[in-house]
Amino acid sequence: MVKICCIGAGYVGGPTMAVIALKCPKILVTVVDISISRITAWNSDQLPIYEPGLDEVVKQCRGKNLFFSTDVEKHVSEADIIFVSVNTPTKTRGLGAGKAPELTYWESAARMIANVSTSNKIVVEKSTVPVKTAEAVERILTFNSSNISYQILSNPEFLAEGTAIQDLLNPDRVLIGGRETPDGQKAVQALKDVYSHWVPEDRIITTNLWSAELSKLAANAFLAQRISSVNAMSALCEATGANVSQVSNAVGKDTRIGPKFLNASVGFGGSCFQKDILNLVYICECNGLTEVAKYWEQVIKVNDYQKNRFVNRVVSSMFNTVSGKKIAILGFAFKKDTGDTRETPAIDVCRGLLGDKAWLSIYDPQVAEDQIKKDLSMNKFDWDHPVHLQPSNTAAVNQVSIVGDAYEATKDAHGICILTEWDEFKTLDFQKIFDNMKKPAFVFDGRNIVNVKKLREIGFIVYSIGKPLDPWLKDTPAVTRDK
Ligand code: NAD
Ligand code: UDX
């Protein structure tokens, strides 16, 4: 029986291994992690991450050919194929701080593999890493163990949160990069054999190692660039009276462009886009490609501009002050169908409003109170570094209350900011909400999910990203403030 071990039981390691176990009943899959609480949760009824369809897959395989364990060394030493799916956050200090990814977790995993291995291994990069990481890993492994052959493969993951199980069951493609040597190609074939259990042959792409590593960064950069492009257009739409949904629809009908990923928003979030573009920018800079670096950096600048613009719009619309006013925040996760808040635009928007002394009442169906409070009191980039998990700005959260539903959040509020596109927000009783709010009552829709016409008929003053402005808002242009 082939034995797979995955180091890192996070958003990628957990769901990916669960699907491999589901589709390959003859493969023994063990997911290991240094976090005892995460592994305990994976072994319980309350999984550590919320992902539609995940519970069912885990329940079907756990205890049969899918196991979760903290005995990292034992399972690594016994495995034939080792996936490494540890976090690779942006560095907060030292060389490349603010751009380069922190590879400490990766390196310690590689050194541990070298220490405990007694048989040949295929080591698979599942984490998103800089180009040429495979070379560094290869060196660490071969310099630290003798008589063992390692083959390093790059097999980046393209799943999106909220649709992870669907993406894994039916991927657009699986990408495998390996050395172009007979042993390298044998390892590529071994991994291909795993995916071939359910992925059609023509969707499994094989490349050299560096192309696979770079393709992951490129794919995320292209996706994020689309959002920054449509968000840049949304600002122009508001200035001209065009409607960004109509523009996106018209542009997306061009089959060369396509309709997906053209929704204007308050900004993209998530643990990947910003981190991976910064990583790309750093690689370009290290290779002397200044103009290329600047090009990609602009994607992040437009995203920051969009979040800042939203806050300015809220404050300027509400008579240039939100001081002491209750504002309801509907949605805190970075997108619907996940409880993940990493780099969610809600953090920046809430901080902006708190900076203007607003009182926030926050509701999200999947994010816990302590998570929101931690997010609002941590320094940028610190959230993914276990060593810096001490909140640094607890004062801000004194103006925040976390509540159990949208009606409670909006009661007596002056304004509502919709920051995540949860389906339940589309069917709220807005008449009831209006009746319980201070007047004039404002709605700022950062996800374009409300029926603007209907809400204006009820009496709301409505701002919806990139849509023709409410007559009220036309007279209150959003001032551009320095960050
Ligand atoms: P995560 O933080 O959810 O999980 C990483 C896990 O690795 C943590 O549980 C941590 O405790 C564990 N870990 C760290 N060092 C370890 C070690 N030495 N030994 C054992 N366990 C260790 O991260 P994630 O979201 O799953 O992302 C993992 C990687 O996959 C990142 O490189 C990320 O960029 C990439 N990725 C993420 C997504 C996504 O949607 N989240 C999608 C594609 C790729
Ligand atoms: C992304 C990539 O899509 C995935 O392939 C990669 O493996 C990991 O990074 P993820 O961050 O989980 O996945 O979610 P995604 O659906 O890409 O959304 C990212 C952010 O962009 C969210 O905040 C989302 O709300 C925003 N978004 C997405 C928009 O603002 N507009 C869109 O049209 C699409």
Side-chain angles (χ1 to χ4, degrees), residues 80-360:
D80 306 296
I81 303 177
I82 303 165
F83 286 81
V84 184
S85 185
V86 300
N87 34 333
T88 50
T90 306
K91 276 181 92 170
T92 51
R93 45 194 82 173
L95 185 66
K99 282 187 187 154
E102 179 64 83
L103 295 175
T104 309
Y105 310 109
W106 235 103
E107 185 168 334
S108 75
R111 286 182 187 276
M112 184 268 300
I113 296 172
N115 286 342
V116 304
S117 293
T118 51
S119 57
N120 295 346
K121 310 281 182 207
I122 295 174
V123 177
V124 184
E125 290 177 348
K126 207 33 151 172
S127 304
T128 305
V129 288
V131 191
K132 294 275 177 175
T133 298
E135 196 169 67
V137 171
E138 208 169 54
R139 285 191 185 151
I140 290 167
L141 291 171
T142 45
F143 277 106
N144 285 287
S145 43
S146 47
N147 301 325
I148 292 173
S149 149
Y150 295 101
Q151 280 302 323
I152 321 297
L153 301 178
S154 166
N155 172 222
E157 184 48 61
F158 295 101
L159 67 79
E161 288 178 29
T163 53
I165 297 300
Q166 277 319 309
D167 295 343
L168 288 163
L169 289 173
N170 189 22
D172 287 346
R173 79 305 210 182
V174 166
L175 177 58
I176 305 174
R179 286 274 182 205
E180 288 157 312
T181 58
D183 283 347
Q185 290 308 297
K186 223 168 116 187
V188 168
Q189 188 58 47
L191 187 55
K192 232 177 138 177
D193 290 344
V194 173
Y195 285 108
S196 310
H197 281 84
W198 78 99
V199 181
E201 183 92 6
D202 60 353
R203 288 203 220 156
I204 305 179
I205 307 170
T206 56
T207 64
N208 75 26
L209 273 170
W210 324 131
S211 303
E213 288 177 335
L214 185 56
S215 299
K216 174 63 197 177
L217 297 180
N220 272 356
F222 276 47
L223 288 167
Q225 180 207 44
R226 268 173 90 91
I227 304 170
S228 279
S229 298
V230 77
N231 282 344
M233 282 299 158
S234 74
L236 192 53
C237 286
E238 287 167 31
T240 56
N243 179 328
V244 75
S245 301
Q246 293 173 353
V247 173
S248 290
N249 183 44
V251 169
K253 289 286 182 202
D254 186 324
T255 51
R256 292 168 303 175
I257 297 172
K260 293 184 185 167
F261 248 67
L262 285 177
N263 294 322
S265 67
V266 60
F268 60 73
S271 63
C272 293
F273 283 170
Q274 175 168 282
K275 164 177 81 71
D276 294 347
I277 293 176
L278 288 171
N279 183 347
L280 191 63
V281 166
Y282 187 68
I283 295 170
C284 293
E285 286 173 351
C286 290
N287 282 285
L289 303 171
T290 314
E291 291 306 319
V292 185
K294 277 192 203 156
Y295 174 76
W296 288 112
E297 203 164 20
Q298 196 58 29
V299 172
I300 294 176
K301 286 190 177 159
V302 168
N303 198 47
D304 288 340
Y305 166 75
Q306 187 76 347
K307 293 182 273 188
N308 205 27
R309 200 168 76 76
F310 187 85
V311 174
N312 293 347
R313 182 66 79 184
V314 175
V315 178
S316 63
S317 306
M318 298 173 78
F319 318 107
N320 249 350
T321 176
V322 290
S323 180
K325 291 179 183 168
K326 175 175 171 179
I327 297 185
I329 303 293
L330 299 190
F332 198 83
F334 82 96
K335 62 188 280 196
K336 75 169 182 175
D337 291 341
T338 177
D340 195 353
T341 60
R342 295 178 291 179
E343 292 296 337
T344 176
I347 296 177
D348 295 281
V349 170
C350 290
R351 282 196 178 150
L353 295 173
L354 289 169
D356 257 300
K357 300 196 184 125
W359 286 81
L360 304 183

Side-chain angles (χ1 to χ4, degrees), residues 411-443:
K411 188 167 188 306
D412 292 325
H414 289 258
I416 302 172
C417 296
I418 301 174
L419 302 184
T420 313
E421 72 282 21
W422 285 104
D423 287 338
E424 66 175 71
F425 298 156
K426 295 177 189 163
T427 52
L428 289 170
D429 181 346
F430 276 101
Q431 182 65 58
K432 179 174 158 190
I433 287 176
F434 180 79
D435 293 342
N436 287 327
M437 282 178 68
K438 303 268 192 230
K439 308 294 177 319
F442 294 84
V443 170

